[in-house]
Amino acid sequence: MTATTTLTARALLLDMDSTIVNSEAVVERCWRRWAAEQGLDGDKILQVVHGRQGWATMAALLPDRPMELNLADNRRMLAQETADMDGVVPVPGAPAFMAALATLPHALVTSADIALSDARMGAAGLPMPDVRITAESVSASKPDPEGFLKGAAELGFAPEDCLVFEDSEAGIEAGRAAGMRVVGVGDRAAAFGPTVQIPDLTHVRVEASADGVIAVHIGD
């Protein structure tokens, strides 16, 4: 990037994994283990797991498998992930980014459950937003827009006044389906049509005005 782009919003909606928290090592360990159990190619699995709740990924990969097995495996995987914080760190720039949002309207919108989001945000040393939409909050997984729409509603803003930060195909699709603009975070995001894309959160500066408008400056 050679120039600065400025987007304005009244609230920010943040995905967690690979957007503000780098949990890639844990995700890879857990999903490779599950893939081996199912006789599937771990490399191919890792191309599609990001963004969705685990049971939704399993259903997409094994469409003829009984859903109760997916739900059981999802519960087991969530427990494994919650117990494994080895390698969980903040995405570069996340601590300063979250500090800048401390007094501004923002929410976490994650496919993780409450326990896993508590564990990963804690391991990364990041503050938990007052508003949090987790797996328990929704009836449908990303790419369904339900989570982002609920986050906007809880903050008290219209979808078009919200700016989403996401890394995955499912998450970016969910943000767009909610009628929101999307900042794609990380190299993976570039392929999925976000409004703008950044390598990490060191490329973002947040500035609030007296009238409640949040200016999000994106650039080098």
Side-chain angles (χ1 to χ4, degrees):
M1 290 180 292
T2 58
T4 299
T5 298
T6 298
L7 301 175
T8 58
R10 292 190 175 273
L12 305 186
L13 303 178
L14 317 175
D15 176 52
M16 181 179 71
D17 292 304
S18 299
T19 299
I20 57 175
V21 174
N22 182 346
S23 55
E24 298 267 344
V26 181
V27 170
E28 180 167 344
R29 282 194 293 272
C30 289
W31 279 101
R32 283 192 182 279
R33 186 161 52 235
W34 183 84
E37 292 171 358
Q38 307 304 319
L40 299 174
D41 185 325
D43 290 337
K44 291 182 179 178
I45 294 290
L46 290 172
Q47 294 175 13
V48 299
V49 300
H50 300 285
R52 296 181 178 88
Q53 292 186 41
W55 60 264
T57 296
M58 295 169 190
L61 291 166
L62 298 171
D64 297 326
R65 191 177 194 236
M67 184 56 74
E68 57 266 26
L69 295 181
N70 296 333
L71 293 171
D73 278 1
N74 184 59
R75 288 191 293 270
R76 178 167 58 95
M77 186 176 291
L78 283 170
Q80 292 170 349
E81 290 184 288
T82 302
D84 184 358
M85 292 297 116
D86 187 18
V88 175
V89 295
V91 166
F97 177 67
M98 296 300 288
L101 298 185
T103 61
L104 304 178
H106 68 290
L108 191 73
V109 181
T110 176
S111 292
D113 64 4
I114 291 172
L116 182 56
S117 58
D118 277 340
R120 285 187 175 161
M121 292 289 281
L126 297 176
M128 182 65 73
D130 291 338
V131 174
R132 169 173 44 162
I133 306 298
T134 64
E136 294 93 340
S137 310
V138 297
S139 60
S141 172
K142 298 172 185 175
D144 191 283
E146 181 184 2
F148 287 123
L149 292 172
K150 281 198 168 184
E154 289 204 21
L155 290 171
F157 293 96
E160 59 268 24
D161 289 329
C162 297
L163 184 62
V164 167
F165 283 73
E166 262 285 2
D167 72 292
S168 70
E169 181 176 17
I172 292 170
E173 286 183 6
R176 288 203 309 257
M180 301 172 184
R181 294 153 297 150
V182 181
V183 177
V185 181
D187 293 339
R188 180 168 54 234
F192 307 125
T195 308
V196 295
Q197 185 266 340
I198 53 175
D200 57 46
L201 295 170
T202 64
H203 296 263
V204 177
R205 182 171 60 85
V206 176
E207 183 180 25
S209 62
D211 61 359
V213 174
I214 304 169
V216 179
H217 305 291
I218 294 169
D220 291 333

